[in-house]
Amino acid sequence: MVDSVIEPGLSFHRPSRAMSEAASEQASVRLRRLVEEYFDVVYRAARRFGTPPSFVDDCAQQVFLVAASKLDSMAPASERAFLLGTTFRLSKEFRRRSADVPATVDSEKVMLAGADSTPDLEEIVDRKRARLVLDDLLAEMPEDLRAAFVLYEIEGITVPEIAQVLDIAPGTAASRLRRAREAFERGVERHRARERFRGEQARVVRSALHEGREP
């Protein structure tokens, strides 16, 4: 009966090839969707996880190269968690690589330090400065706490998802998030104290200059 419905001479390689081509096309479509939907998320996470600025582009691209090789095993419901987990792991690798690269001047910080607060620049300068302050505060945090903080407070994912991304127990994820928030608050207080000190120093200098004496 089975033999009677098989066309004589039919090659069984043809359906297999067609199925392979269809699967390849589906994979390409899925990968394009992942890039369109999650590239900004991955790029932002790479930066917040501490990837050096000169490596952020490379890190984001590597994340999607890894995703392309793992599409068959990546459940649709776990796409975001997979991408963020890969970003976290790769960011550590790029930080290690950066240790062998001579330090460069952060051009964005230089620009902000010398920027005039003209009306048309003030808003964008303030936004950039706030972002750099956030980067500095995150950089002061231990790696495991920073990851939990970024995932929850910036990327908006749940504690169970953090556990999945970082491959840790939910209770550990919750504990890290609590300690990360405490560390961040301490960092904010240190930043405010530094700003108050700088403001006071600037006031003293202005007063001295106004009175015509050496500050």
Side-chain angles (χ1 to χ4, degrees):
M1 178 66 180
V2 174
D3 292 341
S4 66
V5 297
I6 298 178
E7 184 178 337
L10 181 65
S11 170
F12 288 97
H13 292 293
R14 291 176 185 173
S16 177
R17 188 182 308 117
M19 291 174 62
S20 177
E21 291 174 353
S24 178
E25 178 61 24
Q26 290 176 352
S28 296
V29 169
R30 186 183 183 192
L31 184 60
R32 285 196 297 270
R33 178 184 60 77
L34 288 176
V35 173
E36 292 171 359
E37 186 171 346
Y38 292 110
F39 186 85
D40 288 346
V41 172
V42 166
Y43 188 94
R44 182 174 60 242
R47 181 184 177 97
R48 301 308 185 201
F49 284 148
T51 306
S54 59
F55 288 103
V56 172
D57 284 325
D58 289 342
C59 183
Q61 292 174 22
Q62 285 291 328
V63 168
F64 289 101
L65 287 175
V66 172
S69 69
K70 300 289 186 180
L71 287 176
D72 290 342
S73 59
M74 189 194 313
S78 301
E79 290 174 348
R80 190 182 189 196
F82 176 90
L83 293 172
L84 287 171
T86 303
T87 305
F88 175 67
R89 289 186 291 274
L90 284 174
S91 71
K92 292 194 292 185
E93 175 61 29
F94 278 103
R95 286 200 303 277
R96 283 194 291 268
R97 291 188 196 179
S98 71
D100 300 324
V101 177
T104 57
V105 176
D106 190 324
S107 59
E108 189 170 40
K109 289 187 177 181
V110 171
M111 181 275 292
L112 292 176
D116 294 327
S117 296
T118 53
D120 21 327
L121 288 178
E122 186 173 359
E123 184 178 353
I124 189 169
V125 167
D126 285 346
R127 287 201 303 268
K128 287 181 176 293
R129 184 173 287 115
R131 190 181 72 191
L132 291 174
V133 169
L134 175 60
D135 288 346
D136 288 342
L137 293 176
L138 292 175
E140 294 175 357
M141 298 171 65
E143 181 182 275
D144 56 345
L145 303 189
R146 175 172 58 195
F149 186 89
V150 167
L151 291 170
Y152 189 88
E153 298 291 351
I154 298 178
E155 297 306 328
I157 72 174
T158 64
V159 170
E161 288 175 320
I162 293 174
Q164 181 182 2
V165 168
L166 301 181
D167 194 23
I168 56 179
T172 303
S175 174
R176 288 187 186 179
L177 178 59
R178 175 182 56 78
R179 289 186 289 129
R181 285 170 163 172
E182 293 171 353
F184 187 79
E185 287 300 322
R186 290 193 298 270
V188 169
E189 287 304 315
R190 288 194 299 270
H191 170 73
R192 288 173 177 166
R194 288 194 295 265
E195 289 298 300
R196 287 193 296 267
F197 177 77
R198 289 170 184 162
E200 180 61 22
Q201 289 295 100
R203 187 193 65 77
V204 170
V205 170
R206 286 195 300 269
S207 176
L209 291 174
H210 180 71
E211 295 173 5
R213 55 184 173 84
E214 289 293 329

